[in-house]
Amino acid sequence: MAGGWTGEPPAETSSLVRPYAVTGGRTVPRIQLAMEALVSSATAGHVDLSTLTPERQAISSLCRQVRSVAEISAMLRMPLGVARIVIADMAAEGLVHVHQPQLDAGKPDLGLLERVLSGLRRL
């Protein structure tokens, strides 16, 4: 069957839990997270993570090194929207620290634009 479902399971195993079950049915995170926002674990090594859901355990262990929201989503093969909701919940519970980029309400950095313009003129 070309382009359709062949009846065989995919080669990679995927989570049997649906995204809406992971997020409790929510589609919007409690706090807005940019996909480039950096996340670090707030839990110490001696904290028992076994009480957390598998997704939260994975995020907590991944964030022992600072990672972006997009990177966490990709590494866990989790939709970006779901990752944002879970990370926002974890931040509200104090399990992770979120470092949002400072974008000055969407205004571009004039210094950066001037350097780019200068570089273009030299070409």
Side-chain angles (χ1 to χ4, degrees), residues 87-99:
I87 292 167
D89 289 349
M90 291 178 72
E93 295 169 13
L95 297 172
V96 295
H97 297 294
V98 176
H99 312 281

Side-chain angles (χ1 to χ4, degrees), residues 30-114:
R30 293 180 179 153
I31 59 171
Q32 291 301 316
L33 291 174
M35 65 183 203
E36 66 271 9
L38 299 177
V39 183
S40 62
S41 181
T43 58
H46 63 279
V47 174
D48 182 25
L49 299 177
S50 65
T51 59
L52 301 176
T53 64
E55 295 80 17
R56 290 176 179 222
Q57 288 177 9
I59 290 170
S60 185
S61 62
L62 269 178
C63 291
R64 289 184 184 138
Q65 295 180 350
V66 178
R67 300 191 188 273
S68 70
V69 173
E71 189 177 6
I72 294 166
S73 171
M75 292 178 87
L76 296 179
R77 295 184 178 158
M78 178 185 293
L80 183 60
V82 173
R84 282 181 168 148
I85 292 170
V86 175
I87 292 167
D89 289 349
M90 291 178 72
E93 295 169 13
L95 297 172
V96 295
H97 297 294
V98 176
H99 312 281
Q100 293 273 33
Q102 299 298 322
L103 299 177
D104 293 325
K107 295 180 183 175
D109 180 12
L110 291 179
L112 174 63
L113 292 176
E114 288 172 357

